[in-house]
Amino acid sequence: ETNGKVIISMPGVPREMKRMWAEQAAPRIGAKLSGRSYSSVTLKTIGIGESALEEAIVDLVAKTNPIVATYAKDDGVHVRVVGIADDEASARAIRDEAAAEVSRRLRRWLYGEDEISLAGSIAAQLRKLGLSIRIFDHGGGGQFGALMLGDQDGALVKRMGEVVDGE
C-alpha cells in the first residue's frame, strides 16, 4: 500500500493465484471498499467470436453497473458480469438480472459458467445421454484429447482401452 493505493502482485500459476486471492488479497481489498459489495459470474461460450458476441450484447457492455465485459480465451469467449451495490444481496440481484439477459441472448453458444470447463460441459452432456467417447487422433496434435483428459471435472474419456473416471 502506497499513497492510498493498493498494489497486488499475483503468481501466474492458477492454483496458487486463486488461493492467494481468496485468502489474502480479496479480504484486504474488501476492507477498503467503503461498504460496496461486488458479485460476479463468468458465462462461457463456444462457437462465436468475440466481436460477434460483443455486438449481441453491446448495450449491456456500455453500462457501468452491472459491468459486462468479454474475454477471448482458449476455450471460447467468456463474459464476465459484475453487479455493484451497497450490500451483497443487491449486488447479486444486479448481477443475476444482467447475467440472465446475457444468457438469453447467447443461449445458443453457452456451455457453462464460472468453474465449469468446456470438457466438463461436454462430459456432463455425454453422461446425461448415457454416452461416452473414444478419441482417436490422426494429425490433430492431440488437442481435443488433451482438453478432455486434462479436465478437472472427470470427463468420460477412454484411453488406450483403459477406462477413465470409473466408467
Side-chain angles (χ1 to χ4, degrees):
E1 189 171 342
T2 304
N3 299 327
K5 306 286 182 190
V6 177
I7 299 171
I8 297 175
S9 179
M10 306 290 286
V13 179
R15 185 184 77 254
E16 294 173 6
M17 180 178 58
K18 287 177 183 179
R19 183 173 177 194
M20 284 178 70
W21 176 259
E23 294 178 7
Q24 300 293 323
R28 290 178 185 181
I29 293 171
K32 298 185 177 301
L33 292 178
S34 67
R36 301 295 283 167
S37 289
Y38 297 79
S39 182
S40 68
V41 64
T42 300
L43 305 173
K44 298 178 179 181
T45 69
I46 193 77
I48 183 171
E50 187 176 16
S51 296
L53 184 149
E54 191 157 331
E55 189 174 309
I57 60 172
V58 68
D59 58 314
L60 302 174
V61 171
K63 293 183 177 185
T64 56
N65 188 23
I67 298 168
V68 178
T70 62
Y71 303 92
K73 302 284 188 173
D74 288 342
D75 61 346
V77 180
H78 296 188
V79 180
R80 182 85 164 174
V81 180
V82 181
I84 307 166
D86 291 331
D87 60 87
E88 187 178 334
S90 298
R92 195 175 320 112
I94 292 167
R95 175 204 71 191
D96 289 348
E97 183 178 342
E101 181 60 19
V102 170
S103 294
R104 185 187 70 74
R105 294 184 193 185
L106 302 176
R107 71 179 170 270
R108 177 177 176 194
W109 300 282
L110 283 175
Y111 70 82
E113 66 180 52
D114 288 333
E115 299 303 317
I116 301 296
S117 67
L118 179 56
S121 179
I122 292 169
Q125 291 300 313
L126 289 170
R127 283 188 202 104
K128 184 177 174 181
L129 297 170
L131 301 172
S132 62
I133 61 174
R134 186 176 295 245
I135 300 169
F136 297 96
D137 187 310
H138 179 73
Q143 290 182 342
F144 184 68
L147 169 82
M148 295 303 290
L149 290 171
D151 175 52
Q152 299 301 309
D153 299 328
L156 299 174
V157 179
K158 295 185 180 195
R159 177 181 44 190
M160 295 171 48
E162 182 180 326
V163 177
V164 175
D165 192 30
E167 184 203 12

